[in-house]
Amino acid sequence: MQQVSVHEAETQLSKLIEQASQGDEILIVEGGVPIARLSAIGPSRVGRRFGAMAGRARVDERFFEPLPEDELRAWELKRCS
């Protein structure tokens, strides 16, 4: 692992980022004390995928029944506040 001073990191940041993107780790030190590590990050995870829950959720006939009056009033009160 390469060690560089804060000043060196400031002046050579582009070069250090390139090295990190190639898999190297750079330790940034101040007065001989490590304060930061520069390393590449992995590829980001794919966001939501259409159809990811296909076959996992079920809706039965009760879903289409009207809400009970007390629950319907509660929803209407929340909407008005």
Side-chain angles (χ1 to χ4, degrees):
M1 181 180 313
Q2 180 182 355
Q3 289 188 15
V4 296
S5 68
V6 171
H7 176 71
E8 191 176 354
E10 289 172 343
T11 59
Q12 298 181 13
L13 184 59
S14 295
K15 178 183 142 195
L16 295 173
I17 289 174
E18 178 62 31
Q19 289 176 350
S21 70
Q22 299 299 320
D24 294 344
E25 282 194 353
I26 294 95
L27 194 61
I28 302 172
V29 297
E30 185 171 42
V33 177
I35 58 169
R37 179 181 20 229
L38 181 62
S39 63
I41 57 173
S44 61
R45 294 189 304 170
V46 176
R48 294 181 182 161
R49 184 176 53 84
F50 183 76
M53 292 295 293
R56 294 185 184 179
R58 304 227 189 293
V59 176
D60 62 18
E61 292 302 315
R62 293 178 298 166
F63 179 81
F64 299 101
E65 293 175 4
L67 292 173
E69 286 298 318
D70 58 333
E71 191 170 339
L72 184 59
R73 276 193 302 277
W75 279 102
E76 289 173 346
L77 288 174
K78 287 181 183 179
R79 187 176 63 192
C80 294
S81 11

